[in-house]
Amino acid sequence: MARNAHPEVTRTRILDAAQRLFMAQGYEHTSIQNIVDELGDLSKGAIYHHFKSKEAILEELTNRDNNMQDDFNESVMNRTDLTALEKFRVLWRHSMTKQDHVQIMRAAMPMLSDPVSFAANMQVWSKHLPERFLPLIEAGAKDGSIPTEYPREAAELLSLLPNYWLMPYFYPVTLPEMEHRIRCLATMLDAIGVPIFDDELITVAAKGMMTFAGEPEKGSE
């Protein structure tokens, strides 16, 4: 069968079908049988041959999305027509408006209820993300668009607060409350010379963050 001759093709088909369903009806409302039905020519056993669970499919989708985000980030970082501050705004706006990315992240929210998964994500937010942001902030200090004396601290704030304090999965808020909270973050960042958020980006970010509002229910297999 095709899945034996071309396993990567079959894996990609499974991932694509799962992503369509997760985006259309939510991760929590999608079962492995739904994915089988969406594909039409694979059995449940064939899917389990490639992925041990629905959670494993979601994890692979998240990894795939991360790779695409990395490619986009690199393309923005290589641009010579933008200041560091402008690059930051392009990256932030993209992360809040790219629907495939937003929906995958929304689907992954239930994983954060697991202490082990949450701890792993916290490691990323506290260690790896700041190291990604730091060179851009330092570049902004050089080109004058991000005139901060606190580049490392700013990188940590931009990594931790949006992924935890702004996340309505952890801190439920209404849209006006979310916008107010982002304005608070913007005020703090402005005070240390990191003027990332203008009025337009505050509005975009508030609407984007509200995509993650509410605690998703667990899906069944």
Side-chain angles (χ1 to χ4, degrees), residues 30-47:
T30 300
S31 68
I32 291 293
Q33 185 59 53
N34 292 148
I35 299 172
V36 170
D37 295 340
E38 175 75 8
L39 288 163
D41 62 348
L42 291 180
S43 66
K44 188 178 288 189
I47 291 179

Side-chain angles (χ1 to χ4, degrees), residues 17-18 20-35 54 219-221:
R20 288 194 299 272
L21 291 170
F22 292 166
M23 291 179 67
Q25 60 194 41
Y27 171 81
E28 61 272 25
H29 299 300
T30 300
S31 68
I32 291 293
Q33 185 59 53
N34 292 148
I35 299 172
K54 190 175 73 169
S220 62
E221 292 296 305

Side-chain angles (χ1 to χ4, degrees), residues 117-218:
S117 180
F118 178 79
N121 276 274
M122 185 59 74
Q123 278 289 104
V124 172
W125 302 335
S126 62
K127 302 295 183 183
H128 301 295
L129 275 184
E131 293 304 319
R132 286 188 181 183
F133 290 153
L134 184 57
L136 190 52
I137 295 173
E138 291 175 335
K142 289 181 180 179
D143 70 23
S145 62
I146 306 177
T148 185
E149 297 180 4
Y150 304 96
R152 181 165 294 278
E153 291 81 1
E156 291 170 354
L157 286 173
L158 282 165
S159 302
L160 286 166
L161 295 188
N163 282 295
Y164 187 66
W165 184 60
L166 292 185
M167 189 63 66
Y169 186 84
F170 302 114
Y171 291 92
V173 290
T174 63
L175 178 58
E177 289 170 338
M178 175 61 71
E179 185 170 325
H180 189 70
R181 184 168 289 180
I182 294 175
R183 288 190 181 279
C184 176
L185 175 59
T187 300
M188 290 189 285
L189 291 171
D190 286 350
I192 60 171
V194 187
I196 301 296
F197 293 97
D198 57 13
D199 286 341
E200 178 194 2
L201 193 55
I202 288 172
T203 299
V204 169
K207 291 179 179 178
M209 293 305 297
M210 290 307 295
T211 305
F212 306 103
E215 183 170 342
E217 300 172 359
K218 296 288 185 178

Side-chain angles (χ1 to χ4, degrees), residues 47-58:
I47 291 179
Y48 281 125
H49 174 75
H50 292 279
F51 300 97
K52 65 181 181 180
S53 64
K54 190 175 73 169
E55 289 78 9
I57 294 174
L58 177 58

